[in-house]
Amino acid sequence: MNKYLRLRILVLILLAYPAALTAAHEAKPQSWTGTVRGEVMKIDGKVFMIQDSLDRKVRLEVGPNCTLDENIQAGDEIVAHIVHKGKENYIKSLKRLISSSPTEISAVEGEVLKIDREIYLILDRAGKEVRIQADAKTWKDGNITVGDSILANIDNFQTTHAVSLTKH
């Protein structure tokens, strides 16, 4: 009887195996997004050749509804948000990095006009509105509210991300 039980289990496993393979295949993502950071080596129409941060050469083509910073040239440090769908890879947005080093820090000083979750809209001293993103890593000097005068130390890696927010 033990022999027949093993045979039944083997038959059940063999019957279930194709269904498991189909379910695993369907669970694979059909599309994904990612980020490429590097230096523009060459621009050929809507195709950018990038040498990424791992020293690989990456060919990226501008996609539909792509947002590009103006006047990107060879030698510029960029960050590209890419979309992969099936066999297609294309650029969703391409931004020139303000700083050539992700650790370089600059500052924005001004009045907080609006706070929407982790996005701070600041009116800087030149009268320009600047959007700054804060997150759990951002050091904050107390409870910052609309109307406060602040100094925001920012990094210029992918977005205008606040390293710290200090009241003045």
Side-chain angles (χ1 to χ4, degrees), residues 19-36:
L21 280 179
T22 302
H25 177 70
E26 291 172 0
K28 288 182 183 176
Q30 299 300 314
S31 67
W32 51 267
T33 61
T35 304
V36 173

Side-chain angles (χ1 to χ4, degrees), residues 29-94:
Q30 299 300 314
S31 67
W32 51 267
T33 61
T35 304
V36 173
R37 181 175 187 261
E39 180 182 343
V40 176
M41 303 306 289
K42 181 180 175 183
I43 303 171
D44 186 14
K46 293 187 173 191
V47 176
F48 289 80
M49 291 300 296
I50 310 294
Q51 185 165 0
D52 73 3
S53 56
L54 298 175
D55 220 19
R56 298 176 295 195
K57 295 202 178 1
V58 181
R59 180 186 185 277
L60 299 173
E61 190 168 343
V62 173
N65 303 321
C66 177
T67 57
L68 294 172
D69 278 354
E70 292 182 23
N71 302 324
I72 293 178
Q73 301 173 10
D76 286 345
E77 192 80 13
I78 57 92
V79 63
H81 296 278
I82 59 169
V83 174
H84 173 80
K85 286 187 178 178
K87 293 184 179 182
E88 295 179 18
N89 287 318
Y90 59 86
I91 302 171
K92 183 177 179 181
S93 70
L94 185 68

Side-chain angles (χ1 to χ4, degrees), residues 97-116:
L97 293 177
I98 296 169
S99 118
S100 59
S101 160
T103 58
E104 186 175 316
I105 296 176
S106 58
V108 174
E109 189 172 358
E111 179 185 341
V112 177
L113 296 177
K114 182 179 177 183
I115 302 171
D116 184 13

